[in-house]
Amino acid sequence: MSTALDRERRRHRRSRLSLGQRELIWAYVFLAVPLVFFLGIRIWPALQSFQLSLFTWHVDPAQREYIGFDYYRELLSESRFHRALLNTLLYTVIIVPVQLALGLAIALLLQSVDRFRPFFRAVYFSPYMTPAAAVAWVWGWMYSVNFGIINTFLIEWSIFWENLGLPWLAIPPQPFLTDPSQALPSVAAVVIWQHLGFQVVIFLAGLQGIPRTFYEAARIDGAGAWALFRHITLPLLNPVMVFSIVISSIASLQLFDQVVNINFTNQGGPLDSTLTIALYMYQEAFGRFRMGYAAAVTVVLFLLILVVTVVQLRLASRKVEY
Amino acid sequence: MAAPTLRSSRSAAASGSRTRTPRVGTILSYALLLLGSVIMFFPFLWMILSSFKELREIFQLTLFPTSWSLDNYREVLTGTEFPRWFLNSLIVAGLTTLSVLFFCALVGYTLTRLRFPGRNAIFLLILSTLMIPTEMLVIPWFVMSSQFGWVNSYWGLLFPGLIPAFGVFLMRQFFTTLPRDLFDAGRVDGVSEFGLFWRIGLPLVRPGLAALGIFTFIGNWNAFLWPLIIARSPDMRTVPVGMAFFSNEAGTAWHLIMAASALAIVPILLVFFIFQRQIIEGVVLTGTKG
Amino acid sequence: MIQFLRSLLATAALLVMAAAFAQPVEIVYWQYDYATRIDAMDQLIERFEAENPDITVRQETFPYDAYQQQVAASLPAGQGPDVIQLFYGWLPTWQRAGYVEPLPEQYFDTAELDEVFVPMAQAGKINGQYYGLPTAVRSLALFYNADMLREAGYEEPPATWDEFIEIAKALTEKRGPRFTRVGYGFAPTGQDHHLVREVLTRQFGTPPYNEDLTEVLYDSPEGLAAFEFYTSWATEHEIGVTSFVPGTDGYRNGFIQLENIAMIIDGSFAIGSVENGAQFDWRVAELPVLEEGGVKANFGSYWMNGLTPNAFEDERTLEAAAKFLDFVTQPESMELWLEVVGELPARQAMVDDSELASDPVYGPFIRSLAYATATRFVDETAQRDLMVRAMDRVILEGVDPAVAWEEAAQADQALLDQFSR
């Protein structure tokens, strides 16, 4: 060890740079291209968007009128925006925990079986691969009140129990997407279904990164299944878990594709019951050509996501115990 | 759900004792996985089966086609410019994935393994770009593209996705799990800074890279809004953009959408299986090293 | 030496200028993607270029569902079309944001246009100036499955709404709690919001808005009666349900492919799809009226050709763009459009003379043009949504129609106020 340290010291003397200085230089060499990219392709356009939110929209920049924070005042009093905000939070609260729990459970199940593992993995990943148009089509039909397979099942189920003299087990057909109170959970179910494969792959990758020797050592110490999960799997999975939570929260807060596709003719409906902030913004921007207002909505959405993410990162990093 | 799950994680850990007779837990695991598979796979199966039906029959809600017809595929492949869209998607998704894997790993590595002032600030800056919805960046991007002459070019199609914050975040999380000593030892042995990343760091995060590769490829393969806006001529369309042309005021050609969707999945499946292998191989590596 | 260089430069400059003048002007034309429309426009461009060898026209098309996005992003960058096709209902929002410019007076005479185009073309005007002209127009009609009607004992399509309800009731079938066949294919987001706003209100005795588009008028007993009547089809008569067949054009697929919808109300642009897909005796009739001899009303609409700011960049481009716009709205172009696309001509004289008035399919649409109105929207997307909302409130939530209608009227009035401000 001492020879190694000597060598290190000698090298430092030669290069006349401290280790810290060297790391600093290398860090910025490595980061140069990505930083230029992020500043130029992401941050700068985002700032332009913010600027747009202070002006009325016009094709010709010279004719855009400065109106200060008027759009922000307008959206705060807009009931559709309130609805979109509430829905978006609801989606997030439903989707994130369910997706995470199911994703982890399936990843662990997949770890536990020896046969057909590639097959199961492909199957669980298949929804994530299916193009949005096909997903919307299939789920639209499955949810259909009058033709859908789910309601057909419910009717058969009810007949079965009624025949057995147990009518209280019967469940009537449900309206699903056509009912303002059921539409949001119905869409959320599709989102969970579609993104589950994503979580599974992430968790599998995370689980693969945990060295086997940890488990073996703990088992020699006589640790039970729960103890292994609690004290090895969970803590070592923490970085991946943090990623999963943050990413699925951001994705839920920006939910757009599925909502647009599944109720195509009445996007965000019925009666705005599935409307999200991203969709609202999109409709204002491209349906009504109100880019300035839409930009203001984006800024608010950005702030919302920022707060949620920072809180999550704070909480998560406090929990880490290696 | 909890009990078999827990036992299973242990049985995975106890990799040495695989010859034991299957236990209740294992059987339950298979049963649960199988049940889940039905729910997960059904829509996919329906899509594939529908792609062999004519438009009329697609609406009849029977699962299997009365007569298997390749007409939809024939029409998609010969009646539209699908092959060209397919090629474009391959180019865009392939190049983007290469760039993403390299740069995201490099940034993730730098943000965790090198100590320098501004580290957290830079991470937060990058992370914050994840929070801006693409929909709002489309107009500034387009204005930029037309100033630089990127409209209707491959570069125009792929530049926004070259280094996603999502990937940086993922790789950063994977690098944080690696023990620091490995790199310190390498440094002492005189490995260059890039060598530390390339030769020591990268092989250890292969499971993460594989996951990132899958997501990036799929994400770019399915990207719609930006490719739609930047592609001007029919020969620059990608698969999802081309498929949007199957729908208009007078109706939607569902039979073509189903066939095109089925065709579009082929490369994704390939990529998935390729990277999936990587995930498994990753186990072997970390398993022996840890 | 310097002298020589100078003269060389001067010659070069002259050459460049000469080349610029000799070179044909290129203008770009945009419309949404539809095979027959592209075909028709290609033919028109060919004719136009033959007549004007110094102008070339490049046609670019984009998916229907993403057309506005494309426009929204391109024009602020100074890219995209010089001449553009847009749905007439989008005009106010596009005009406010500067995406279209008024037709220049040196090329277009407003008074003359007023005369030769069908009256609904006036919806392409803002503040007395035209912003675009249609090549073709459309109207609504009742498509019905004659086999089904006959089976129920009806030889003729309904002439009044009461007959319509009677037939639809007879053809609606339910098994348990679920509909297996419906008499009418509800489509609130399809054409039904037009049906209520523009057709039923007028038939019940009120125009939807006042002349100068500052006041909602359907907020009256007549207007409410119209709305109550429409919602009663679902709530009281149960001749159908919303989203009976799922999907973007579920009502049309139910009519054409599934044959479980007996009647739909749709635009003339749907003729092609029905013709290609339906394997039964389908027919078209004019929209029913309240009572024999009662007020006839129809909703007319069209895609208009307008000029973007790009066309005004220089005089030569503007001249070329104006020429082209004028060319595609000439009678010969309309004839070609009718032949290739199957959309009705937009010039009054052609509508009057049309042999098509007696055509079994086109006839009802052509005859309807005589009494069709194109709603003058201030914000088509928002006005559509508030109308759909009113329908959903009653049909899905069971709210009192009077309440839902009042909400719609107030929201609509707020939009009008915003616009006129």
Side-chain angles (χ1 to χ4, degrees), chain C residues 98-220:
Chain C
Y99 284 77
V100 276
E101 297 283 341
L103 301 185
E105 274 163 32
Q106 69 260 43
Y107 301 108
F108 297 93
D109 177 20
T110 307
E112 191 198 321
L113 298 179
D114 283 345
E115 203 113 308
V116 297
F117 280 88
V118 289
M120 71 168 88
Q122 306 262 342
K125 268 176 160 178
I126 292 177
N127 295 330
Q129 282 179 300
Y130 276 100
Y131 278 76
L133 295 169
T135 300
V137 293
R138 44 289 267 278
S139 56
L140 300 180
L142 183 79
F143 289 77
Y144 63 99
N145 185 326
D147 289 339
M148 252 189 236
L149 260 66
R150 216 170 291 126
E151 177 198 311
Y154 298 96
E155 288 298 325
E156 292 293 316
T160 67
W161 291 114
D162 285 339
E163 284 170 35
F164 166 81
I165 293 173
E166 184 193 312
I167 297 175
K169 260 185 173 169
L171 289 168
T172 301
E173 283 170 3
K174 250 181 150 178
R175 190 181 303 142
R178 303 213 277 183
F179 287 88
T180 51
R181 188 169 84 175
V182 296
Y184 177 62
F186 274 92
T189 54
Q191 303 303 317
D192 284 9
H193 69 100
H194 296 305
L195 175 74
V196 171
R197 188 192 298 104
E198 199 57 64
V199 180
L200 290 178
T201 50
R202 284 182 193 273
Q203 291 186 343
F204 273 83
T206 177
Y209 307 101
N210 68 347
E211 274 297 309
D212 46 359
L213 211 59
T214 50
E215 214 180 312
V216 171
L217 297 183
Y218 61 71
D219 183 18
S220 58

Side-chain angles (χ1 to χ4, degrees), chain A residues 57-59 64 74 80 140-141 144-148 151-152 155 173 178-180 264-266 270-272 282-283 285-291, chain C residues 65 68-69 72 75-76 93-94 96-99 177-179 189 241 243-246 248 258 260 379 381-382 384 388-389 392-393 396-397 415:
Chain A
W57 176 248
H58 198 280
V59 163
R64 292 174 196 164
E74 184 183 338
R80 274 194 94 209
W141 278 100
S144 164
V145 178
N146 293 285
F147 306 99
N151 271 344
T152 305
I155 288 171
T178 58
D179 183 274
F264 199 88
T265 48
N266 193 0
L271 293 168
D272 293 339
Y282 186 82
Q283 290 175 340
F286 298 109
R288 305 182 64 194
F289 281 38
R290 298 182 73 209
M291 298 298 163
Chain C
D65 293 327
Q68 292 216 75
Q69 282 125 263
L75 286 165
T93 45
W94 285 36
R96 244 171 297 166
Y99 284 77
R178 303 213 277 183
F179 287 88
T189 54
V241 279
S243 329
F244 175 60
V245 173
T248 314
L258 285 167
N260 58 14
D379 186 336
T381 311
R384 182 194 86 131
V388 172
R389 163 180 283 275
D392 281 347
R393 286 275 275 160
L396 301 179
E397 286 194 320
L415 286 171

Side-chain angles (χ1 to χ4, degrees), chain A residues 94-105:
Chain A
I94 297 173
I95 292 170
V96 175
V98 175
Q99 217 169 56
L100 219 69
L102 280 178
L104 183 58

Side-chain angles (χ1 to χ4, degrees), chain A residues 49-54 67-78 81 292-293 295-300 303:
Chain A
S49 280
F50 174 68
Q51 192 200 18
L52 279 186
S53 73
L54 307 176
I67 52 159
F69 286 87
D70 278 7
Y71 281 141
Y72 292 86
R73 273 187 282 275
E74 184 183 338
L75 75 90
L76 287 179
S77 63
E78 178 61 57
F81 177 75
Y293 182 74
V297 176
T298 314
V299 172
V300 173
L303 292 175

Side-chain angles (χ1 to χ4, degrees), chain C residues 1-14:
Chain C
M1 187 64 192
I2 289 168
Q3 280 260 303
F4 171 71
L5 271 179
R6 237 185 231 157
S7 59
L8 197 69
L9 271 175
T11 327
L14 267 175

